[in-house]
Amino acid sequence: MAAPPSDAALPPGVLIQDRLASWVSDLTTLHELTERLIKTDSLDGALREMLGAGAALVGARRGMAVLEPADGLGPTSTIGLGLAHADLGTIETVPRGSGSYGRLLDGLSEADPPGAGLPDADPPGAGLPGNGSTAPRRPARVPEPIAIRDVRTEEGLDPRHREVAARLGYAASYALPLATEEAGRLGAAVWLYDEPAEPDERRRHLIGLYGRFATEHLARLLQVERARARVATVAEELLPSRLPRVPGVRLAVRHLTGPQGGGDWYDALPLPEGALGLAVGSVSGTGPSALAAMGRLRASLRAYAVMEGEDPVAVLSDLELLLRLTEPARSATALFAYAEPAQRRIVLAGAGHAPPLVVGDHRTEFVETSLSAPLGMLTCWEAPSVELSPAPGETVLLYTDGLLRRTGDATDRAFARLHAAASSVPRTDRSDPGAVADHVLRTLLPGGLDPAVEGEDVVLLAARFE
């Protein structure tokens, strides 16, 4: 049989066509993989997508990805492909300076001796006023990928490295830094081969292109994640650190924060003569400005409640005046209830807020409140208060509009679903206000908060009267 013609024996036109076809195929593959990656909206999801796509590009079956930003600000995580949690723990027992992904995380390439970590870039904040340096930040040096063709014969490996490879059944690895000059080092990925192998030049080129794109995408998600964490921290600091203990009533609260952080809030504060003030509310807008407005509004309501809490209409009237004078461009909803647990008596008033829901063994019904506009939308706000007397063992649910809107239903349908959820609370759970709140949330929002819907927080405050 005649041998196939070599590239040198082929006509130039055929060679060009073959190369063009190969380039088009590679570009199509990269386009498909990056399209899938860009659809991920969480760090964990992006890491898993990147790990699976990288395995296909380098021709490996298993692998792991480590997120460990070089600035030390976190978050950190390790995920595996075809590796159990115990396998990841076993790999992490390899001395960091010997493992390929560990060397990449510490800024070492194949040419660097162990322990030769180099400070590639100025620390975070360098070059900014007040940080002791006026020099512009230098781009981070990106370490080279590390290929180990055969763990058994590779020189300079720690014996523990060979032992772990034999135990887990891999014979070679290819490690790629998740790093670019602009983003810095975010982590590393390593793919494991069952037999001695390494990716050829074409595969190295493809995984390099994909890795740079993945790193930039991870850097964007990292900033979003950190911003969300900061907003969540601020929101929690602005809300009560714990609920008060007042004889005759048991309290529980559930607060779910949206991606950008909204202005939903709650409060529960002891008042003179064994009374209790309960409040929920929502400030228009999202992000830091809404959180700041929410903090100011909640603090003001606490002050008004201490001075005249037995008159909820007066409390909300004062709050209306404050909002119009200090934040004329913002509106808010609020509900304040003055409770006397010993008498099982509640007097409440609401401003543009959804009515409370009473849940008990013999009834599940909304409290009839008068319709009123939100705070900040009228020249003068005032609406009559409503009084109710919960029976022993009944729970009163106060909630924000986010609970209804997060269902995705029209308002009347959302109210009907909320009523049905409260009615279906098992009798064994009705003695625990926390269990009541959890059941309602699980029933209305079985998947939690939809990350695609921005800005709608959920607050559910439950008060069970003994």
Side-chain angles (χ1 to χ4, degrees), residues 218-307:
L218 287 169
R220 290 189 290 270
L221 292 177
L222 179 65
Q223 294 304 315
V224 172
E225 183 71 19
R226 287 177 173 178
R228 289 177 179 174
R230 288 193 292 267
V231 168
T233 299
V234 172
E236 292 302 322
E237 290 296 326
L238 291 173
L239 295 173
S241 58
R242 60 181 180 180
L243 296 174
R245 293 185 176 181
V246 177
V249 65
R250 295 172 57 195
L251 302 174
V253 68
R254 300 294 182 264
H255 180 211
L256 307 180
T257 305
Q260 292 186 356
D264 288 14
W265 55 276
Y266 66 91
D267 208 347
L269 66 156
L271 296 174
E273 300 180 0
L276 175 68
L278 300 173
V280 291
S282 178
V283 175
S284 61
T286 60
S289 64
L291 290 175
M294 176 265 282
R296 292 191 291 268
L297 203 67
R298 172 180 169 267
S300 300
L301 185 141
R302 289 177 72 91
Y304 299 145
V306 170
M307 293 185 294

Side-chain angles (χ1 to χ4, degrees), residues 352-444:
H353 209 81
L357 183 62
V358 180
V359 182
D361 291 336
H362 305 291
R363 64 170 174 168
T364 299
E365 60 186 32
F366 290 102
V367 178
E368 293 291 338
T369 57
S370 58
L371 187 63
S372 63
L375 301 174
M377 298 189 70
L378 296 177
T379 304
C380 180
W381 178 91
E382 185 167 326
S385 60
V386 175
E387 183 173 331
L388 67 146
S389 299
E394 288 188 331
T395 298
V396 178
L397 296 178
L398 310 181
Y399 52 93
T400 58
D401 292 341
L403 179 63
L404 303 173
R405 293 174 181 166
R406 282 285 186 172
T407 65
D409 295 326
T411 302
D412 56 346
R413 172 62 178 162
F415 274 116
R417 288 186 58 190
L418 173 57
H419 186 276
S423 300
S424 66
V425 175
R427 289 187 179 274
T428 54
D429 290 342
R430 295 192 177 186
S431 60
D432 181 357
V436 173
D438 289 336
H439 177 86
V440 170
L441 286 176
R442 283 195 306 268
T443 305
L444 287 181

Side-chain angles (χ1 to χ4, degrees), residues 53-137:
L57 290 174
V58 302
R61 187 172 62 88
R62 294 180 290 171
M64 64 181 289
V66 180
L67 180 68
E68 189 178 299
D71 60 12
L73 301 179
T76 62
S77 65
T78 301
I79 64 170
L81 173 68
L83 296 171
H85 183 73
D87 297 334
L88 296 177
T90 300
I91 293 175
E92 290 176 347
T93 64
V94 176
R96 190 175 175 101
S98 176
S100 53
Y101 80 90
R103 298 185 65 192
L104 291 178
L105 291 174
D106 292 335
L108 302 175
S109 68
E110 286 184 294
D112 296 325
L118 300 176
D120 304 325
D122 295 327
L128 298 179
N131 285 307
S133 174
T134 58
R137 186 180 186 275

